[in-house]
Amino acid sequence: WYGSDAMPASNGKQHLLSGTMEDVVADVEALHELGIANIFISVEAGTLAATLERMTEFASGVRAQF
């Protein structure tokens, strides 16, 4: 999922749902325009506290945009 660094794909472009919060929002918008209504993301981190922090970041930074 998202982080400050974009994950490179095998074609040299950026993996979907990686990079900055703005990158992830743009990816979700592009998926929506293609007719995709649901996505699955993993927000697992090393600890429960870190996982909950990632969930909160996604909810406030990405999900709140839609």
Side-chain angles (χ1 to χ4, degrees):
W1 171 60
Y2 115 99
S4 60
D5 296 324
M7 294 173 26
S10 60
N11 64 1
K13 296 184 179 183
Q14 176 176 319
H15 264 285
L16 284 174
L17 306 175
S18 72
T20 66
M21 192 73 71
E22 292 80 14
D23 292 334
V24 175
V25 169
D27 289 344
V28 173
E29 287 174 343
L31 292 170
H32 177 73
E33 289 174 9
L34 291 171
I36 296 172
N38 299 292
I39 59 171
F40 175 82
I41 61 163
S42 174
V43 294
E44 286 183 60
T47 65
L48 176 59
T51 299
L52 293 173
E53 181 178 338
R54 292 182 88 186
M55 289 174 71
T56 300
E57 288 175 358
F58 184 86
S60 63
V62 178
R63 178 66 182 113
Q65 304 295 315
F66 301 93

